[in-house]
Coordinates of all heavy atoms in Angstrom, one line a residue:
F264 N 20.7 -9.0 43.9 CA 19.5 -9.8 44.2 C 18.2 -9.0 43.8 O 17.2 -9.7 43.4 CB 19.5 -10.2 45.7 CG 20.6 -11.1 46.0 CD1 21.6 -10.7 46.9 CD2 20.7 -12.4 45.5 CE1 22.6 -11.5 47.2 CE2 21.7 -13.2 45.9 CZ 22.7 -12.8 46.7
L265 N 18.2 -7.7 43.9 CA 17.0 -7.0 43.5 C 16.8 -7.0 42.0 O 15.7 -6.9 41.5 CB 17.1 -5.5 44.0 CG 17.1 -5.3 45.5 CD1 17.3 -3.8 45.8 CD2 15.7 -5.7 46.0
L266 N 18.0 -7.1 41.3 CA 17.9 -7.1 39.8 C 17.7 -8.5 39.3 O 17.4 -8.6 38.1 CB 19.2 -6.5 39.2 CG 19.4 -5.0 39.5 CD1 20.8 -4.7 38.9 CD2 18.3 -4.2 38.9
L267 N 17.7 -9.5 40.1 CA 17.6 -10.9 39.6 C 16.3 -11.1 38.9 O 16.3 -11.7 37.8 CB 17.7 -11.9 40.8 CG 17.6 -13.4 40.4 CD1 18.7 -13.7 39.5 CD2 17.7 -14.2 41.7
P268 N 15.1 -10.7 39.4 CA 13.9 -11.0 38.6 C 13.9 -10.3 37.2 O 13.4 -10.8 36.3 CB 12.8 -10.4 39.5 CG 13.4 -10.4 40.9 CD 14.8 -10.1 40.7
L269 N 14.5 -9.1 37.2 CA 14.5 -8.3 35.9 C 15.4 -9.1 35.0 O 15.1 -9.2 33.8 CB 15.1 -6.9 36.2 CG 15.2 -6.0 34.9 CD1 13.9 -5.9 34.3 CD2 15.8 -4.7 35.3
L270 N 16.6 -9.6 35.4 CA 17.5 -10.3 34.6 C 16.8 -11.6 34.1 O 17.0 -12.0 32.9 CB 18.8 -10.7 35.3 CG 19.6 -9.5 35.7 CD1 20.8 -9.9 36.5 CD2 20.1 -8.7 34.5
L271 N 16.0 -12.3 34.9 CA 15.3 -13.5 34.5 C 14.3 -13.2 33.5 O 14.1 -14.0 32.6 CB 14.7 -14.1 35.7 CG 15.6 -14.7 36.8 CD1 14.8 -15.2 38.0 CD2 16.5 -15.8 36.2
F272 N 13.7 -12.0 33.6 CA 12.7 -11.6 32.6 C 13.3 -11.3 31.3 O 12.8 -11.7 30.2 CB 11.8 -10.4 33.1 CG 10.8 -9.9 32.2 CD1 9.6 -10.6 32.0 CD2 11.1 -8.8 31.4 CE1 8.7 -10.2 31.2 CE2 10.1 -8.3 30.5 CZ 8.9 -9.0 30.4
P377 N 8.9 -16.0 31.4 CA 10.0 -16.0 32.3 C 10.0 -17.2 33.3 O 8.9 -17.7 33.7 CB 9.8 -14.7 33.1 CG 8.4 -14.4 33.0 CD 8.0 -14.9 31.6
R378 N 11.1 -17.8 33.6 CA 11.2 -18.9 34.4 C 11.6 -18.5 35.9 O 12.5 -17.7 36.1 CB 12.3 -19.9 33.9 CG 12.0 -20.4 32.5 CD 13.1 -21.2 31.9 NE 12.9 -21.6 30.6 CZ 13.8 -22.3 29.8 NH1 14.9 -22.6 30.4 NH2 13.5 -22.6 28.6
R379 N 10.9 -19.2 36.8 CA 11.3 -18.9 38.2 C 12.4 -19.8 38.5 O 12.4 -21.1 38.4 CB 10.1 -19.2 39.1 CG 9.0 -18.2 39.0 CD 7.9 -18.6 39.9 NE 6.8 -17.6 39.9 CZ 6.7 -16.7 40.9 NH1 7.5 -16.7 41.9 NH2 5.7 -15.8 40.8
E380 N 13.5 -19.3 39.0 CA 14.7 -20.1 39.4 C 14.9 -19.9 40.9 O 14.6 -18.9 41.5 CB 15.9 -19.6 38.7 CG 15.7 -19.6 37.2 CD 16.9 -20.1 36.5 OE1 17.9 -20.3 37.2 OE2 16.8 -20.3 35.3
P381 N 15.3 -21.0 41.6 CA 15.5 -20.9 43.0 C 16.6 -20.0 43.4 O 17.5 -19.8 42.6 CB 15.8 -22.4 43.4 CG 16.3 -23.0 42.1 CD 15.6 -22.3 41.0
P382 N 16.5 -19.4 44.6 CA 17.6 -18.5 45.0 C 18.9 -19.2 45.1 O 19.0 -20.4 45.2 CB 17.1 -17.9 46.3 CG 16.1 -18.9 46.8 CD 15.5 -19.5 45.6
I388 N 16.4 -14.9 49.4 CA 15.6 -13.8 48.8 C 14.2 -14.4 48.5 O 13.4 -13.8 47.9 CB 16.1 -13.2 47.5 CG1 16.3 -14.3 46.5 CG2 17.4 -12.5 47.8 CD1 16.7 -13.8 45.1
S389 N 13.9 -15.6 49.0 CA 12.6 -16.2 48.7 C 11.4 -15.4 49.2 O 10.3 -15.4 48.6 CB 12.6 -17.6 49.3 OG 12.8 -17.6 50.7
E390 N 11.6 -14.7 50.3 CA 10.5 -13.9 50.9 C 10.1 -12.7 50.0 O 9.0 -12.2 50.0 CB 10.8 -13.5 52.3 CG 11.0 -14.6 53.3 CD 11.4 -14.1 54.6 OE1 11.5 -12.9 54.8 OE2 11.6 -14.9 55.5
H391 N 11.1 -12.2 49.3 CA 10.9 -11.0 48.5 C 10.8 -11.3 47.0 O 10.5 -10.3 46.2 CB 12.1 -10.1 48.7 CG 12.4 -9.8 50.2 ND1 11.6 -8.9 50.9 CD2 13.3 -10.2 51.0 CE1 12.0 -8.9 52.1 NE2 13.1 -9.6 52.2
T392 N 11.0 -12.5 46.5 CA 11.1 -12.8 45.1 C 9.7 -12.4 44.4 O 9.7 -11.8 43.4 CB 11.5 -14.2 44.8 OG1 12.7 -14.5 45.4 CG2 11.5 -14.5 43.3
S393 N 8.6 -12.9 45.0 CA 7.3 -12.7 44.4 C 7.0 -11.2 44.3 O 6.5 -10.8 43.2 CB 6.2 -13.5 45.2 OG 6.5 -14.8 45.2
A394 N 7.2 -10.5 45.4 CA 6.9 -9.1 45.3 C 7.8 -8.3 44.3 O 7.3 -7.5 43.6 CB 7.1 -8.5 46.7
L395 N 9.1 -8.7 44.3 CA 10.0 -8.1 43.3 C 9.6 -8.4 41.9 O 9.6 -7.5 41.0 CB 11.4 -8.5 43.6 CG 12.1 -8.0 44.8 CD1 13.4 -8.6 45.0 CD2 12.2 -6.5 44.7
E396 N 9.2 -9.7 41.6 CA 8.8 -10.0 40.3 C 7.6 -9.3 39.9 O 7.4 -8.8 38.8 CB 8.6 -11.5 40.2 CG 9.9 -12.3 40.2 CD 9.6 -13.8 40.0 OE1 8.5 -14.2 40.1 OE2 10.6 -14.5 39.7
E397 N 6.6 -9.2 40.8 CA 5.4 -8.5 40.5 C 5.7 -7.0 40.2 O 5.1 -6.4 39.3 CB 4.4 -8.6 41.7 CG 3.1 -7.9 41.5 CD 2.1 -8.1 42.6 OE1 2.5 -8.8 43.6 OE2 1.1 -7.5 42.6
S398 N 6.6 -6.4 40.9 CA 6.9 -5.0 40.7 C 7.6 -4.9 39.3 O 7.4 -3.9 38.6 CB 7.8 -4.5 41.8 OG 7.2 -4.5 43.1
V399 N 8.5 -5.8 39.0 CA 9.2 -5.8 37.7 C 8.2 -5.9 36.6 O 8.3 -5.2 35.6 CB 10.3 -6.9 37.7 CG1 10.8 -7.0 36.3 CG2 11.4 -6.5 38.6
F400 N 7.3 -6.8 36.7 CA 6.3 -7.0 35.6 C 5.4 -5.8 35.5 O 5.0 -5.4 34.4 CB 5.5 -8.3 35.8 CG 6.2 -9.5 35.7 CD1 6.1 -10.6 36.6 CD2 7.1 -9.7 34.6 CE1 6.8 -11.7 36.5 CE2 7.8 -10.9 34.5 CZ 7.7 -11.9 35.4
R401 N 5.1 -5.2 36.6 CA 4.3 -4.0 36.5 C 5.0 -2.8 35.8 O 4.5 -2.1 35.0 CB 3.9 -3.5 37.9 CG 2.8 -2.4 37.9 CD 2.4 -2.0 39.3 NE 2.1 -3.1 40.2 CZ 2.8 -3.4 41.3 NH1 3.9 -2.8 41.6 NH2 2.4 -4.4 42.0
L402 N 6.3 -2.7 36.2 CA 7.2 -1.7 35.6 C 7.3 -2.0 34.1 O 7.3 -1.1 33.2 CB 8.5 -1.6 36.3 CG 8.6 -1.0 37.7 CD1 10.0 -1.2 38.3 CD2 8.2 0.5 37.6
N403 N 7.5 -3.3 33.8 CA 7.6 -3.6 32.4 C 6.4 -3.2 31.6 O 6.5 -2.7 30.4 CB 7.9 -5.1 32.2 CG 8.1 -5.6 30.8 OD1 9.0 -5.2 30.1 ND2 7.1 -6.3 30.3
G404 N 5.2 -3.5 32.1 CA 4.0 -3.1 31.5 C 3.9 -1.6 31.3 O 3.4 -1.1 30.2

Side-chain angles (χ1 to χ4, degrees):
F264 293 112
L265 292 176
L266 293 179
L267 180 61
L269 180 60
L270 294 176
L271 293 177
F272 178 78
R378 302 174 182 174
R379 288 176 176 264
E380 303 220 355
I388 58 171
S389 58
E390 298 178 359
H391 306 286
T392 301
S393 298
L395 287 173
E396 287 183 348
E397 183 179 353
S398 299
V399 169
F400 291 136
R401 191 184 306 116
L402 289 173
N403 181 71

